[in-house]
Amino acid sequence: MIRTVCVSLLLLAFGSLKLSAADRPIKVFILAGQSNMEGKGKVSLLEYQIAQPETRDLFAHWQKDGKWIERSDVRIKFLDRAGPLTIGYGSPKCIGPEIEFGTVVGNHYEEPVLLIKTAWGGRSLYRDFRSPSAGLPKDEVLQKMLTEMQKKKPEATLDDVKTPFGAAYRDMLKEVRETLADLKNQFPGATDLKYELCGLAWFQGWNDMINADYTAEYTVNLQHFIRDVRKDLDKPNLPFVIGQMGVDGEKATGNVQKFKEAQAAVLDAAEFKGNVALVKTDVFWDTAAEAVYKKGWRDNIDEWNKVGSDYPFHYLGSCRTMKDIGGALAKSMIELQPKK
């Protein structure tokens, strides 16, 4: 069972946060993407590693007196789950980038922080997160999709093909808007709540990377996505941080490398200079977990349970990798904030 404890005297009374002051709005960050933004580092692995002398210091700042910290100055809303930031806000019984992201921004700001996490596994930018200005694919592409769909569902229509396009984009906006309209439930006891939308961290790509056609459009589609998010949330220069694909680490080749180049090319647009950043995640690849995975994790299960908890496309379920990625995204986000 996950044990938690409140983190500081700051949490004794929300009145001490002065949330009603015009110059103290809640700092809001959106964490969006697919399964790796959800996070697949198992809590069971984290609990093992924090108890080991060689890995304890990696995660020690998430605990106090041997218990997992709850940060009521940093709140998180992840679909049907919400509360003070602590471990377990990844996929069920897992952590993702959110825990270290929230830790870094929470330590940086005097104001309270809210993370709105909108992530679903198996979603592509080509289809699911496709934003309005990208439009639909060409008619011949849609017709080909319809033909394939009708092999399994003969009664399928072209509308059935079109409907999934942009569905995750719309769900993301709906989740953000509904959460911002209901801040009293995120910060119980506080009044006259104001907020400042400070940025979006985007960590997504597997489903686009494994399809050459999707990869070919990724740069343009992500540029459309950034523009549309800013327009739809009425934040013209909303800071945007892209977590670049890091599967297989720095030695990645083939499709992975092509996809990484497509992500990096997004920043070639002059309008994104100084307000969009790319964070390399390959540098955080867990080589120790990879070594055990490659020699056969099933045949070395005891050793595997000490270093990894999922497949390579989920960064081996490495808790240290999830921590490092979250921290890097947060630091890059802070650097993009307008100078006052």
Side-chain angles (χ1 to χ4, degrees), residues 260-271:
K260 289 162 76 169
E261 292 168 0
Q263 289 181 303
V266 171
L267 275 67
D268 290 344
E271 68 194 277

Side-chain angles (χ1 to χ4, degrees), residues 215-246:
T215 296
E217 285 193 22
Y218 197 87
T219 301
V220 172
N221 285 338
L222 189 51
Q223 289 172 336
H224 281 304
F225 181 89
I226 296 170
R227 296 183 189 110
D228 286 341
V229 166
R230 289 172 168 176
K231 177 183 177 182
D232 289 334
L233 294 179
D234 195 24
K235 193 76 173 181
N237 291 305
L238 181 70
F240 202 105
V241 177
I242 303 165
Q244 189 182 38
M245 177 67 68

Side-chain angles (χ1 to χ4, degrees), residues 8 56 87 102 110 179 194 196 201 208 216 237 258 295 330:
S8 71
R56 180 185 300 128
I87 64 168
E110 293 182 0
T179 301
K194 296 178 176 62
E196 177 185 1
D208 293 273
N237 291 305
K258 287 181 181 178
K295 73 178 182 180

Side-chain angles (χ1 to χ4, degrees), residues 104-330:
V104 172
V105 295
N107 291 345
H108 179 77
Y109 290 107
E110 293 182 0
E111 297 89 345
V113 169
L114 174 63
L115 308 181
I116 304 175
K117 188 166 159 180
T118 58
W120 301 269
R123 304 299 198 272
S124 70
L125 178 63
Y126 180 89
R127 186 184 69 173
D128 308 286
F129 276 103
R130 197 178 186 100
S131 66
S133 63
L136 289 169
K138 296 179 180 179
D139 288 343
E140 54 265 33
V141 174
L142 296 175
Q143 287 295 335
K144 184 178 179 180
M145 290 181 172
L146 176 60
T147 299
E148 291 300 312
M149 184 180 288
Q150 287 176 337
K151 290 178 180 178
K152 298 180 179 179
K153 185 182 177 184
E155 69 276 17
T157 67
L158 197 56
D159 282 342
D160 294 322
V161 174
K162 293 179 179 179
T163 297
F165 281 90
Y169 180 84
R170 295 186 291 272
D171 288 343
M172 175 189 70
L173 291 180
K174 182 174 182 287
E175 181 69 16
V176 171
R177 287 166 173 160
E178 289 182 351
T179 301
L180 293 177
D182 193 31
L183 286 178
K184 289 184 179 180
N185 273 337
Q186 308 310 318
F187 290 87
T191 58
D192 299 324
L193 294 170
K194 296 178 176 62
Y195 69 86
E196 177 185 1
L197 191 55
C198 294
L200 188 150
W202 175 251
F203 193 29
Q204 181 276 343
W206 183 268
N207 280 57
D208 293 273
M209 185 196 72
I210 59 176
N211 185 304
D213 293 334
Y214 291 14
T215 296
E217 285 193 22
Y218 197 87
T219 301
V220 172
N221 285 338
L222 189 51
Q223 289 172 336
H224 281 304
F225 181 89
I226 296 170
R227 296 183 189 110
D228 286 341
V229 166
R230 289 172 168 176
K231 177 183 177 182
D232 289 334
L233 294 179
D234 195 24
K235 193 76 173 181
N237 291 305
L238 181 70
F240 202 105
V241 177
I242 303 165
Q244 189 182 38
M245 177 67 68
V247 170
D248 292 337
E250 295 177 276
K251 66 181 184 300
T253 58
N255 290 343
V256 178
Q257 184 57 34
K258 287 181 181 178
F259 185 73
K260 289 162 76 169
E261 292 168 0
Q263 289 181 303
V266 171
L267 275 67
D268 290 344
E271 68 194 277
F272 296 152
K273 183 176 177 60
N275 55 65
V276 178
L278 185 80
V279 168
K280 293 179 177 295
T281 68
D282 54 11
V283 297
F284 305 125
W285 185 249
D286 194 329
T287 54
E290 180 185 44
V292 179
Y293 183 86
K294 284 188 171 180
K295 73 178 182 180
W297 68 272
R298 290 183 179 86
D299 296 328
N300 299 275
I301 192 65
D302 290 340
E303 186 179 3
W304 172 245
N305 287 337
K306 297 176 182 178
V307 293
S309 66
D310 210 303
Y311 295 99
F313 50 78
H314 288 148
Y315 288 78
L316 300 158
S318 169
C319 293
R320 66 194 304 165
T321 297
M322 290 294 100
K323 175 188 75 71
D324 289 342
I325 290 173
L329 292 173

